[in-house]
Amino acid sequence: MESDNQPYSPAHGSAHLRAQESDSTRSSGRKTITTFDAFPDLAKNGECCDGSRRGEEHGGVKASCLERDFFRPVVVTNLDSTIVVGFSLHWYVNKPSQKAPPMEHDLTRGNVLKTIAVFALPYMLSYFLQMLYGMADLYMMGQFSGAAGITAVGNGAQTLYIITVTLVGLAMGTTVIVGHAVGSRRFDRAEVAIGNTITLFMGVSVVLAAVLLALCPQIVALIGTPAEAVEGTAAYLRICFVGIPFIAAYNILSAIFRGLGDSRSPMYVIGVACIINIALDFLFIGHMGLGPVGAALGTVTAQTASVALALVWLKSRRTYIHLKRSDLRPQPEVLGSILKIGVPVAVQDGCIQVAFMFITVIANHRGLVDAAAVGLVEKMISFLFIVPSSMGATVSALTAQNAGAGKGDRARQVLKDAMTISVVYGCLITVLMWLVAPAFIGFFAKDPAVVAAGTGYMHSYIFDAIFAGIHICFSGFFAAYGKSYIGFAHNVLAVALIRVPGAWLLSNAYSDTLFPMGIASPCGSILSAVICVVAFTVLNRRGAFDKLAA
């Protein structure tokens, strides 16, 4: 029996209050208040509802079930002359004392900073591990293949990363829709969203893999790969393109986990994949001398293993989400909701990576040393951006659930705290890179020329860590409210007006150093941050974040 001032369990949300008086309570003057959530069409096999009213005694209180309604427990307690009664499907299929903790995590309660930390830390570790095995590829190539091998894997990885982040951006639609459903306790909607996501992504990934395989030679030529690295880049990309369905599958599963409020499961999965990838790098690159081919084989094999492990992990968890074959059937309304959020995010993320690719092309035309330096630093920047990137994903997941629960104030506090964390981290990492960049880059590259060129590029580029976290957090917040077009707009403007033209102009103006070329990225982030602040201020005054639009 819980006391009246205890909050109800995260899985037991309540949307309505109804008061009723039974025959037994009329005579005693005691009033029965029923607090419940109604979830239509979730009753299965007559376990809860069979079209009639029925009840079961629990602690002297009779729980009745309305036709085709699914009730979750909230509180059962005595408040003087009042009995507060909560209903649950478990009261019909389990003993009242049994507890089946759901996989879904409630992100709408508790201290905001603590909630951010609990969600973000596993995500950061997942991101760290994912970047780690990417860095392992470059480390092994630097030790055994030289500048040509580094350039081949750097160019190939950058191309593959464009595809990966585009898929991740598209999956943001799933994270948000599932988050809304979990926040409002509509698990039936979450099931349909997950099923439709699986159908959508599997179809898209297979078609995408086939198209990219056919266009592989043109892609290698388009990015201006130096002649010494053409063969290695093409071999790397062909193998990775074959593995795109597995890359898509892993990111779908991660998006689903995050929408359910679970950032730990992807961490465990990617940890195993990281170990596999590093071991295979030593085997394929170090022992067998396969070069870029070995790096690609290790990456694809690790991603495949991560998908298999994620599926096993998901199946083993106890959860309110139970997919049915009908959930896989495409529903235009559901797909439209996912794509409405996901497509702008995918395009904006794709545009950012295309901008990075243009910068890679510019570096490739400067020669092999600068190409290797830029490829190495770009990979390191992805690693160093672990906190801003994690905050963006954290804001989208937390805000989605809070928006679904109608908690606009808490959602705004999530945004504020996440941006503060990102900016503080950005300042610290900028100072650190100014102190240790030569040693950091030298750990991955033995060529002194590559280290010198990379240090100059890092010293200017790293300022982006301060400003990028601001617009990344805003983009996650806007997406959670179904306004991902704002993130799309500011990123496209930054890429088109500053990042690409700025890098090109500064590269041509200063041919002996990469330092000026690196300035373009933080300048682009400053523009994005300004646009986000203005958009948020205007929309917030209009009350756009007080209630989730239908």
Side-chain angles (χ1 to χ4, degrees):
M1 197 74 70
E2 298 178 13
S3 65
D4 61 316
N5 59 357
Q6 287 180 315
Y8 55 79
S9 170
H12 305 159
S14 175
H16 309 283
L17 292 175
R18 291 183 183 175
Q20 61 184 27
E21 294 186 11
S22 63
D23 293 337
S24 60
T25 58
R26 284 195 191 97
S27 60
S28 63
R30 176 172 289 174
K31 188 177 182 181
T32 301
I33 300 178
T34 305
T35 305
F36 61 86
D37 270 339
F39 295 85
D41 304 323
L42 284 184
K44 299 178 182 178
N45 303 321
E47 291 175 330
C48 178
C49 301
D50 57 3
S52 61
R53 299 176 66 91
R54 61 185 186 177
E56 184 175 333
E57 293 289 331
H58 297 285
V61 179
K62 186 174 182 179
S64 62
C65 184
L66 299 180
E67 183 177 5
R68 299 183 66 76
D69 277 349
F70 170 41
F71 300 100
R72 300 191 177 283
V74 183
V75 175
V76 179
T77 185
N78 284 297
L79 304 174
D80 297 326
S81 62
T82 302
I83 303 176
V84 180
V85 183
F87 292 91
S88 173
L89 176 61
H90 292 295
W91 286 0
Y92 297 99
V93 298
N94 296 325
K95 295 179 180 179
S97 61
Q98 288 180 321
K99 292 184 179 180
M103 181 179 64
E104 301 84 46
H105 299 275
D106 193 334
L107 306 177
T108 65
R109 299 182 178 281
N111 180 270
V112 172
L113 273 175
K114 182 179 178 180
T115 305
I116 290 174
V118 169
F119 186 92
L121 286 175
Y123 185 90
M124 288 182 195
L125 186 55
S126 300
Y127 193 90
F128 169 80
L129 292 171
Q130 200 160 14
M131 291 297 104
L132 182 61
Y133 72 65
M135 299 296 286
D137 290 346
L138 285 176
Y139 175 78
M140 296 301 293
M141 294 306 300
Q143 301 303 309
F144 295 97
S145 296
I150 293 175
T151 302
V153 173
N155 283 349
Q158 189 66 51
T159 304
L160 186 66
Y161 195 59
I162 293 175
I163 298 162
T164 301
V165 300
T166 301
L167 291 172
V168 171
L170 194 60
M172 176 68 77
T174 299
T175 298
V176 171
I177 297 301
V178 171
H180 287 168
V182 171
S184 61
R185 304 300 183 262
R186 292 300 305 266
F187 296 105
D188 56 333
R189 294 179 179 176
E191 291 168 356
V192 174
I194 291 170
N196 274 244
T197 296
I198 293 171
T199 302
L200 172 66
F201 274 78
M202 288 300 96
V204 168
S205 64
V206 170
V207 173
L208 185 61
V211 171
L212 291 173
L213 277 170
L215 296 177
C216 187
Q218 290 81 1
I219 293 172
V220 174
L222 181 64
I223 63 177
T225 306
E228 300 92 332
V230 167
E231 184 178 352
T233 303
Y236 181 92
L237 286 176
R238 286 193 187 96
I239 295 171
C240 289
F241 288 161
V242 171
I244 282 178
F246 299 103
I247 295 172
Y250 168 74
N251 286 290
I252 291 169
L253 291 169
S254 295
I256 292 169
F257 280 126
R258 289 194 298 271
L260 296 173
D262 178 9
S263 60
R264 293 184 181 181
S265 296
M267 176 187 68
Y268 301 139
V269 170
I270 203 64
V272 175
C274 181
I275 294 171
I276 293 172
N277 187 82
I278 292 174
L280 292 178
D281 276 351
F282 276 100
L283 174 64
F284 293 147
I285 301 173
H287 180 68
M288 299 177 66
L290 296 179
V293 170
L297 286 173
T299 298
V300 172
T301 303
Q303 289 280 10
T304 304
S306 71
V307 171
L309 182 59
L311 288 172
V312 172
W313 186 269
L314 185 62
K315 187 175 179 62
S316 68
R317 299 301 301 271
R318 304 175 75 176
T319 170
Y320 289 131
I321 302 298
H322 302 287
L323 289 184
K324 306 175 291 297
R325 185 173 299 177
S326 60
D327 294 327
L328 300 173
R329 189 179 303 118
Q331 297 186 20
E333 183 179 354
V334 176
L335 291 174
S337 297
I338 294 171
L339 294 174
K340 180 182 177 181
I341 296 170
V343 168
V345 176
V347 174
Q348 79 176 40
D349 290 347
C351 285
I352 293 173
Q353 297 309 314
V354 168
F356 290 150
M357 183 56 68
F358 271 113
I359 293 172
T360 300
V361 171
I362 293 169
N364 286 344
H365 287 293
R366 291 171 64 103
L368 191 61
V369 170
D370 283 356
V374 169
L376 195 59
V377 171
E378 293 286 1
K379 198 75 173 179
M380 291 177 177
I381 287 293
S382 296
F383 178 77
L384 294 172
F385 271 42
I386 181 172
V387 171
S389 297
S390 299
M391 285 299 107
T394 299
V395 169
S396 64
L398 269 66
T399 302
Q401 283 202 17
N402 282 284
K407 297 186 175 182
D409 289 340
R410 182 178 173 86
R412 285 186 285 267
Q413 188 63 44
V414 167
L415 173 64
K416 178 182 176 181
D417 290 350
M419 283 196 297
T420 301
I421 293 170
S422 295
V423 171
V424 170
Y425 169 83
C427 293
L428 294 175
I429 205 67
T430 298
V431 172
L432 181 63
M433 282 299 104
W434 267 82
L435 295 175
V436 304
F440 188 38
I441 296 170
F443 179 77
F444 296 95
K446 293 181 177 179
D447 189 334
V450 172
V451 173
T455 298
Y457 191 56
M458 177 67 83
H459 278 167
S460 56
Y461 198 142
I462 194 61
F463 285 101
D464 197 24
I466 300 173
F467 305 106
I470 298 173
H471 70 77
I472 288 173
C473 289
F474 269 120
S475 293
F477 182 84
F478 292 141
Y481 274 96
K483 303 182 186 301
S484 55
Y485 60 86
I486 299 175
F488 165 78
H490 78 70
N491 276 295
V492 169
L493 288 173
V495 167
L497 299 179
I498 296 180
R499 289 182 184 270
V500 172
W504 181 76
L505 290 172
L506 292 170
S507 176
N508 289 337
Y510 301 92
S511 59
D512 58 339
T513 175
L514 289 171
F515 182 89
M517 183 175 152
I519 295 174
S521 288
C523 289
S525 287
I526 291 173
L527 175 61
S528 287
V530 170
I531 294 173
C532 286
V533 170
V534 172
F536 175 83
T537 302
V538 172
L539 290 172
N540 192 48
R541 286 176 178 173
R542 295 176 180 175
F545 308 122
D546 293 330
K547 184 178 180 181
L548 184 66

